[in-house]
Amino acid sequence: MSAPKKLYIKTYGCQMNVYDSERMAETLGASGYVTTDTPDDADMILLNTCHIREKAAEKIYSELGRFKPLKAEKPDLKIGVAGCVAQAEGEEIMRRQPMVDLVVGPQSYHRLPAMEAKARAGEKALDTDFPEEDKFEHLKARPKAQRGPTAFLTVQEGCDKFCAFCVVPYTRGAEVSRPADRILSEARDLVERGVREITLLGQNVNAYHGAGEGGDWSLARLIWALNEIDGLERIRFTTSHPNDMSDDLIAAHGECEKLMPYLHLPVQSGSDRILKAMNRKHTAEGYLRLIERIRAARPDILISGDFIVGFPGETDADFADTMALVEEVRYGQAFSFKYSTRPGTPAAEKPQIDDDVASFRLQELQALIVRQQREVQESMVGRTVNVLFEKTGRLDGQMVGKSEYLHAVHVQAPDVARGDIRPVRITRSEPNSLAGELVT
Ligand code: SAH
Ligand code: SF4
Ligand code: F3S
């Protein structure tokens, strides 16, 4: 038997790309590949890319340039580009970087083995189709290897919302939900292999409506079914759209034992004028009342969000509305971005605002968000939380895990194993994590 070939995958972008990279590694495993942590000894390098902002996309070309000497040294090395840049700029990548052998869009990963064989035979392989068939049903099965305590599981892909700034509907295609029974069997398989926490993924995960027993299942119904799996201790989901936050899902946050008290619910802006121009189809007030209802169901829930500043036409007054909304919500965590013009999206056609103004607003917003994150973290001091331990820390005998609220927690706990869940009393809040001690 010949020695296995080595595959180096580098992942950019969202958690769905992380999940896809795992599945691509497994699929190529069937073609004789094992993964490696460095490009230096790889037989194939695969970049799983993100197109969401210009910087993310441009980075790929410089990253590819860095592999040039490797490729010169090792002519058999195959270089591939997957993910959303591949989908959006496939032909251009092939043109700009002739050393790229393979370009595969997110909907075609099940075709990777055939594409790899084609590339090995010295031909260029490019596939940015939107195939009829569901890639997840055709990807090779996971090998029965032991896993860490947490895993992602994509349940829904694509987006029909067409926010005016966003490339996702173009790179990932229309919204598709996977059948419930497939998700449940994949979840059971993950749990058998050591997983204790599953994060359900989708670009609009709460719009999930997969075929299940008795008709279409909602995300809440799926969560309740997952709640029944012995050995699975925690369920999370991301990313949600405010307009798909249904009553059963809100109720589940109050009633479902394994569903964690953390919700990532992006609003993007606090100005109704900008929300309208963004095609978000909800108002700031609507969002605030929704948060109220969610907090009524689960008072301690940690709310997280995403914001874009400097969207075309954003005035000082619009930005002030965003700051006011953030003040009112009190986020435990939030991500904010300067608007990035994406080719092919409606907002790209609009007059763009001054870059310095946008940068200034971003700084202000980020300062407010950091303040809120710190406040929420500090409110944890003195409380006892349950920590799912994921790995060893930097100090001797230290373990690191996550609380229910997704805060990283450092604990001196030499006898605790990966995958254990223990009560921990929080003693200190640090810039990006908490410290605590085991409750005995
Ligand atoms: N499906 C998710 C978000 C996917 S993209 C949702 O609807 O919430 C993740 C985040 O990137 C978005 O929430 C948005 O804040 C940001 N983003 C998307 N397009 C962007 C652009 N053109 N410029 C800047 N930020 C953008
Ligand atoms: Fe993009 Fe909007 Fe769809 Fe989210 S809901 S993926 S921001 S188009
Ligand atoms: Fe990026 Fe594509 Fe995810 S553009 S954020 S990798 S869906």
Side-chain angles (χ1 to χ4, degrees):
M1 213 179 93
S2 60
K5 287 171 284 187
K6 290 191 176 160
L7 171 67
Y8 172 74
I9 303 192
K10 186 160 178 183
T11 307
Y12 303 82
C14 61
Q15 289 139 324
M16 306 191 66
N17 267 9
V18 175
Y19 176 81
D20 285 344
S21 288
E22 289 170 5
R23 305 300 308 269
M24 283 194 275
E26 290 163 1
T27 290
L28 285 171
S31 307
Y33 281 91
V34 295
T35 51
T36 170
D37 295 336
T38 154
D40 301 331
D41 65 350
D43 299 286
M44 173 141 161
I45 293 173
L46 204 51
L47 299 183
N48 193 6
T49 62
C50 175
H51 201 246
I52 203 81
R53 285 169 287 275
E54 190 181 353
K55 254 196 210 136
E58 270 307 310
K59 190 156 65 183
I60 299 310
Y61 292 97
S62 53
E63 187 72 30
L64 283 169
R66 296 228 310 260
F67 297 133
K68 221 175 201 154
L70 268 179
K71 179 97 175 173
E73 221 174 88
K74 202 169 167 184
D76 275 351
L77 169 66
K78 298 296 166 197
I79 296 184
V81 180
C84 293
V85 183
Q87 186 63 47
E89 302 177 7
E91 309 263 351
E92 192 189 339
I93 295 169
M94 287 285 195
R95 212 172 37 244
R96 270 176 74 176
Q97 289 285 0
M99 65 174 181
V100 172
D101 304 285
L102 183 157
V103 168
V104 59
Q107 279 64 238
S108 302
Y109 294 152
H110 56 298
R111 296 174 172 173
L112 257 177
M115 295 179 72
E116 188 272 343
K118 193 172 168 188
R120 282 269 154 242
E123 284 176 64
K124 299 270 176 195
L126 179 131
D127 188 340
T128 52
D129 293 349
F130 287 92
E132 282 287 305
E133 71 276 11
D134 175 1
K135 75 173 180 208
F136 293 114
E137 302 310 317
H138 296 272
L139 280 162
K140 295 277 182 299
R142 290 166 176 275
K144 298 283 173 198
Q146 198 61 22
R147 300 261 318 207
T150 64
F152 293 135
L153 204 175
T154 296
V155 302
Q156 176 274 337
E157 245 206 326
C159 183
D160 298 335
K161 296 249 181 331
F162 291 92
C163 298
F165 49 81
C166 183
V167 294
V168 170
Y170 311 97
T171 61
R172 295 274 173 170
E175 200 175 297
V176 181
S177 294
R178 299 178 64 191
D181 60 335
R182 304 296 166 88
I183 295 164
L184 291 171
S185 68
E186 196 171 322
R188 280 187 216 100
D189 175 63
L190 287 168
V191 170
E192 274 168 27
R193 292 157 56 198
V195 169
R196 310 204 70 191
E197 173 183 299
I198 291 179
T199 302
L200 306 174
L201 301 180
Q203 267 94 15
N204 275 297
V205 71
N206 58 341
Y208 176 83
H209 56 96
E213 211 185 298
D216 264 13
W217 281 28
S218 66
L219 184 68
R221 177 129 189 228
L222 185 64
I223 288 168
W224 279 108
L226 287 161
N227 195 55
E228 295 296 307
I229 298 178
D230 284 337
L232 180 64
E233 303 297 340
R234 291 177 160 191
I235 304 163
R236 302 181 184 277
F237 60 89
T238 196
T239 296
S240 298
H241 192 288
N243 290 355
D244 294 312
M245 214 54 216
S246 55
D247 293 345
D248 60 347
L249 190 56
I250 295 174
H253 269 293
E255 295 161 3
C256 183
E257 188 202 343
K258 293 179 183 174
L259 182 60
M260 291 293 105
Y262 182 104
L263 179 66
H264 184 59
L265 196 63
V267 63
Q268 314 299 353
S269 169
S271 152
D272 288 343
R273 223 174 53 80
I274 294 298
L275 286 170
K276 191 154 195 284
M278 285 177 163
N279 193 31
R280 289 290 292 186
K281 299 197 169 81
H282 58 74
T283 60
E285 185 63 21
Y287 179 82
L288 290 169
R289 296 296 78 84
L290 176 61
I291 297 284
E292 240 168 39
R293 286 172 55 217
I294 296 162
R295 282 187 168 143
R298 180 79 202 225
D300 63 337
I301 198 163
L302 189 146
I303 301 290
S304 159
D306 288 342
F307 293 90
I308 294 177
V309 300
F311 186 81
E314 188 187 66
T315 62
D316 284 341
D318 294 319
F319 178 65
D321 287 346
T322 296
M323 294 291 277
L325 178 139
V326 174
E327 291 281 9
E328 187 160 345
V329 173
R330 289 171 290 111
Y331 286 93
Q333 163 113 60
F335 306 90
S336 48
F337 312 97
K338 195 158 72 170
Y339 169 72
S340 171
T341 313
R342 308 309 291 128
T345 61
E349 313 294 322
K350 301 274 169 60
Q352 309 291 306
I353 80 156
D354 184 78
D355 189 58
D356 289 340
V357 171
S359 298
F360 180 75
R361 288 178 188 162
L362 185 65
Q363 273 178 26
E364 285 217 345
L365 176 58
Q366 287 186 340
L368 174 59
I369 289 169
V370 166
R371 213 155 56 234
Q372 294 194 341
Q373 284 173 354
R374 296 253 164 97
E375 277 167 21
V376 170
Q377 274 188 214
E378 270 148 27
S379 74
M380 295 285 159
V381 176
R383 281 184 58 182
T384 296
V385 296
N386 289 307
V387 175
L388 168 57
F389 288 97
E390 294 177 19
K391 56 186 183 193
T392 53
R394 254 174 293 168
L395 304 179
D396 204 30
Q398 193 185 53
M399 291 291 290
V400 189
K402 299 267 169 60
S403 75
E404 297 92 324
Y405 309 99
L406 214 54
H407 285 129
V409 184
H410 297 255
V411 184
Q412 207 52 37
D415 299 328
V416 160
R418 279 179 93 196
D420 286 353
I421 297 177
R422 295 287 181 80
V424 170
R425 206 177 64 84
I426 301 301
T427 53
R428 211 167 60 243
S429 170
E430 285 161 7
N432 291 307
S433 64
L434 299 170
E437 50 199 26
L438 286 180
V439 175
T440 43

